[in-house]
Amino acid sequence: MSLGIVFVSYWTNVSAIKQIQALTLAASTPYPSPSILEDILNLNIKNLLDLDGPGVLVIQNFSIQFALAFLFKNVHLGPRNQTIQKLLPISFMAPSFLAMLPVPPNLLHHSPVFSSLLPLFLVKYVLWTSAYSIVQVIYTGYQHGRLFVSNYGLSALVETEWMRLNVPCVLRVFWVLRVAEHAILLLMDNYDDDNEEVLKVSTLLAVQSLASMAKSLLVTGCETITAVLGMTSVISFFCHYIGNFFQWILLTDEEEDKSIGTVSAILFYILALQTGLTSLNPEKRFIRLCRNFCLLFTALLHFLHNIVNPMLMSLSASHNPSTHRHVRALGVCAFLIMFPISLLVYLWSQHSISTWLLAVSAFSIEVIVKVVVSLMIYSLFLIDAYRSTFWEQLDDYVYYIRAFGNTIEFCFGIFLFFNGAWILLFESGGAIRAVMMCIHAYFNIWCEARAGWSVFMKRRTAVNKINSLREASSDQLNRLDDVCAICYQEMHSAKITRCNHFFHGVCLRKWLYVQDRCPLCHDILYKIDNDPNKDNNSEAGNEENSNNQNLLLEEEPDLFLGDGVR
C-alpha cells in the first residue's frame, strides 16, 4: 500500500505539473507562478477558481497530495520519527508549492521526482529490513506446499488454493461487471437512435433489441482468454445449481453433483480453446459459442444420469416401498430421454449434416442408451424383488444388458474419435485438439476395450470353473434341506464343491471373482494341475485375488445393494 501511494502521488504530481506548464506555454509567459502567488496574496478568488487557469490545478493537486500524505503517514511500516512524520506532508505537496513560486521550468519539471525520494526511502528501508522475514515466509510456504503435495497430490493442492483464494467468485464478478459495462454502453447507443421507432412499435423492437443485445453481450463476453475464464466460471456456477436442483428432485443428500460444476467448466474451457473461440470474427464466434453450449448440455445430461443411476439401482435392489421416490427418479429418466430426442429433432430440422451435429447426435443417443439400460436393470431388480423364489438367471440378464450398453458406448467412442480426426485434418486443426484426441483414444477406447476384455475373460474363466463342478440332484438337495451359504436363499439347483459344500452356481461364480477357495472351509474349489512353482506363485495369486475383488465391485455392484443379501 505504501508503494502504491508513492506511485499515485508521483504520477499525480507529474500530471499536474505538465498541465500547469502547458497553460504557461499557451499564455506565452515564462513564469506563471507569480500570478498564482499574487492572486493568493490579493485574494483574487475569481482568477484562482478560473477553470482555464492554473490555480484550480494547484488547488486540486494540494488536496490530493494532502490526502495521500495523511494516508501514507498512517500505513507505512518505516520508523515513526517525529521529524520524518512532519516532513512527509511537505514532501508530498512540494511540487504544488513550487508551482506557485517563480522557479525555473526545469526545476519544476523534476520536482515530482524529488518529492517522492523521502517516502521511497522509507519503503526501501522497510523492504530491506524485512528481507529475512519475506524469505522465511516464502520458504515456509514452499515446505507446506511440498508436504501437502506428498500427502494429497498436486491436484488437491491446486484445488485447495483455488478455493482459498476464491478464484471462481473473482472471475464471475469480473465477467458480470464487464458484461454490465457493455450492456450500459449498448443501451446508451441505442436509446437515442431508436427512441421514435420504439414509440411506434415498442413490443416488436423491444424483443429484437433484447435479442440483439444478448447476442452482442455473448460475443463480447468471450473475446479474450480472460473473458472466457470469466464466462467459464459463470457457466460452472449455473451447472452446479442445475445439479442441486435435480438432486432436490431426487431427494438425495449425497454430494454426487459436486463435480458437475468443475467438470462442465473444464469441458467448456477446453472447447473454447480447441475451437479458437477468441480468434473468430463476431458472427462466427456466436455460432461456435452456441455449438459449444449444445455439446455442454449433452455432457450435462450424462452427469445427471450419473446422479440418477445409483439411486435407481438402490431403490430397486433395496425393495424401497416409497412410491414418490420411484416416481421422481423415473421422471428424471423420462426427461433424460425426451430432452435429447427433442434436441436432435430440432437440430436436424434446422441444420445440415456436419461434424459438430454428428458429435452432438452421438452424445445424445449415448445418454438415451444409458438411461434405457438403467431402466431395464431397474425393472429386472423390481421383478426379482417380488419373486418368491431365487432367480438364478438374473445375473446373466444384468450382465448381457450392461454388456450391450457398454458395447454401444464403445462404438460411439470410436465414432467420435474418427469424427474428431476428420475435424483435425480437414476443418480446424490445432495442438489442443490433437492432445484431447490422444486422451480420448487412450481412456475412452483403449482402456475401455482392455477393461471389457478383461471382464469377459475372467467371467468366462469363472463359468468354466463352475461347469467343472458337479450338479446337485433333487434327492441331494432334499436331504440337505438348507439354504445357500452365500445368499441365504433356498436352493432348487446347486453346485457341489470338492469339499462337498452346496452353493448356487451364480453365487459361486460371483465368489470366484473374489477368491478361488470355498466360502465355508477355504479349500480349493476346483481341480488344478500340480505345479512345482505353486508355492513361489502364492504371492502373485493373492495379488490376482485382489484384482478380482476390484472386478467384482465394477461388474456386480448389485451384489452389495439392498439388505446385504443380493
Side-chain angles (χ1 to χ4, degrees), residues 228 231-240 242 259-272 274 288-304 336 339 343 347 356 359-361 363-364 367:
V228 171
M231 181 180 282
T232 300
S233 183
V234 173
I235 290 172
S236 172
F237 178 80
F238 282 108
C239 290
H240 172 73
I242 289 174
S259 65
I260 289 182
T262 304
V263 176
S264 58
I266 295 173
L267 175 60
F268 178 80
Y269 193 68
I270 291 175
L271 286 173
Q274 75 177 12
R288 176 53 62 184
L289 185 63
C290 293
R291 292 180 175 181
N292 289 353
F293 278 139
C294 284
L295 290 170
L296 183 64
F297 290 154
T298 55
L300 190 61
L301 296 177
H302 285 265
F303 299 149
L304 296 178
L336 293 178
F339 182 80
L343 180 65
L347 292 178
W356 159 79
V360 174
S361 302
F363 281 124
S364 301
V367 75

Side-chain angles (χ1 to χ4, degrees), residues 421-492:
W422 179 273
I423 298 174
L424 180 67
L425 296 176
F426 301 106
E427 294 184 9
S428 60
I432 298 177
R433 187 182 293 276
V435 171
M436 295 307 300
M437 283 188 58
C438 294
I439 294 174
H440 169 75
Y442 178 76
F443 287 102
N444 294 340
I445 297 179
W446 169 249
C447 290
E448 290 294 329
R450 186 173 59 180
W453 181 254
S454 175
V455 169
F456 171 75
M457 292 302 297
K458 290 183 177 181
R459 183 181 178 87
R460 190 178 68 170
T461 302
V463 170
N464 292 335
K465 293 175 182 178
I466 294 299
N467 292 335
S468 66
L469 301 177
R470 292 177 295 148
E471 187 78 27
S473 63
S474 301
D475 295 338
Q476 290 175 314
L477 292 175
N478 291 332
R479 287 197 302 270
L480 179 66
D481 192 21
D482 199 357
V483 297
C484 173
I486 297 176
C487 69
Y488 299 104
Q489 298 287 323
E490 293 183 359
M491 291 186 291
H492 299 284

Side-chain angles (χ1 to χ4, degrees), residues 18-47:
K18 283 183 177 180
Q19 293 183 38
I20 292 173
Q21 290 183 331
L23 291 174
T24 302
L25 294 176
S28 300
T29 58
Y31 302 109
S33 300
S35 62
I36 300 176
L37 185 59
E38 288 177 1
D39 291 337
I40 293 175
L41 294 176
N42 296 328
L43 299 178
N44 194 343
I45 305 301
K46 181 179 179 180
N47 289 341

